[in-house]
Amino acid sequence: MTGPDSRPAAPGLRERKKERTRQALSDAAVALFMERGFDAVSVAEVAAAAEVSKPTLFRYFPAKEDLVLHRFADHEDESARVVTAGLRAGTAPLDALYAHLLDGLDRRDPVTGLCDHPAVLSYLRLLYGTPALVGRLHAYRMRSEAALADALAAAGSEGSEAADPLVARLGAGQIVAVLGVLAEENTGRIAAGETADEVAADAVAAAGLAFRVLREGLPY
């Protein structure tokens, strides 16, 4: 039995064209940033490399940092989509999220931290080595947490504690934090020289432990 499909509905032709442009702009920017450093490259230089005007670039990306974080765009409401899709399939939120995480680890999805592709490692060094990008990543995580809280509140039956917005926010905060810690553990070990295959078994075991703690509550 496969996990719930968390992908959004397919976009139309116009939106696909816009997304191709966004991707081209982001790719050009990230290549320059990784070569010369985020602070050493101007928005004008990114626009020139992508052969567009600065006003055109800003129509797609309001801030320079967004050019880098675009690679996270599809993941921003991913946990919320997984929960919603799981409910349609009759799967409890934590079960759906756990299955999705295991699938991501198996696929070596970069968002899990269990990926040792050189391009991914270079991107992560850029991301976590640039204070402005780390700050922007925090805002991304806050939006991800808010979307997940809405999905969890919707998952609770009417009148139940699980439907309480505060309970949903508390749950979303814990889940997003857990997923972040797991990814950071994997990324840290790979950055220290281990391969993804060497880390994989421990990553799966850590995921199991983390979700058991989420289900049972903290032992304090």
Side-chain angles (χ1 to χ4, degrees):
M1 180 177 179
T2 58
D5 187 351
S6 63
R7 295 169 296 181
L13 176 60
R14 183 176 182 182
E15 185 54 41
R16 290 200 302 273
K17 291 177 66 176
K18 288 183 177 180
E19 178 53 34
R20 285 196 295 270
T21 300
R22 278 191 289 267
Q23 190 63 55
L25 290 169
S26 176
D27 288 345
V30 169
L32 286 173
F33 296 153
M34 287 197 295
E35 178 185 352
R36 294 163 49 192
F38 180 80
D39 294 326
V41 178
S42 68
V43 172
E45 289 175 301
V46 173
E51 299 182 334
V52 301
S53 67
K54 278 182 63 176
T56 295
L57 186 148
F58 280 122
R59 282 201 298 270
Y60 286 93
F61 294 100
K64 182 181 175 183
E65 292 82 2
D66 293 332
L67 285 157
V68 180
L69 270 296
H70 177 66
R71 296 192 177 185
F72 279 85
D74 288 343
H75 295 291
E76 186 170 295
D77 63 348
E78 183 173 8
S79 291
R81 297 197 311 266
V82 168
V83 167
T84 300
L87 290 173
R88 290 198 295 266
T91 305
L94 284 178
D95 291 340
L97 290 165
Y98 180 52
H100 186 71
L101 174 58
L102 292 181
D103 178 65
L105 291 171
D106 186 59
R107 291 184 290 105
R108 302 297 191 262
D109 187 334
V111 79
T112 68
L114 191 65
C115 183
D116 53 12
H117 191 285
V120 172
L121 297 180
S122 294
Y123 172 79
L124 292 176
R125 284 194 293 271
L126 168 69
L127 179 63
Y128 292 110
T130 308
L133 295 176
V134 173
R136 201 72 170 185
L137 183 60
H138 175 69
Y140 151 82
R141 286 176 172 165
M142 292 295 290
R143 292 192 298 271
S144 178
E145 185 178 311
L148 179 56
D150 288 343
L152 291 175
S157 58
E158 186 174 354
S160 72
E161 183 182 72
D164 187 311
L166 177 58
V167 173
R169 285 185 60 193
L170 292 170
Q174 292 179 65
I175 291 167
V176 169
V178 161
L179 293 176
V181 168
L182 291 174
E184 288 165 8
E185 285 288 315
N186 298 334
T187 299
R189 288 181 59 177
I190 290 173
E194 295 182 77
T195 67
D197 287 345
E198 289 170 338
V199 177
D202 287 344
V204 171
L209 171 62
F211 272 79
R212 185 166 69 251
V213 171
L214 284 171
R215 290 189 180 95
E216 297 175 357
L218 297 174
Y220 299 111

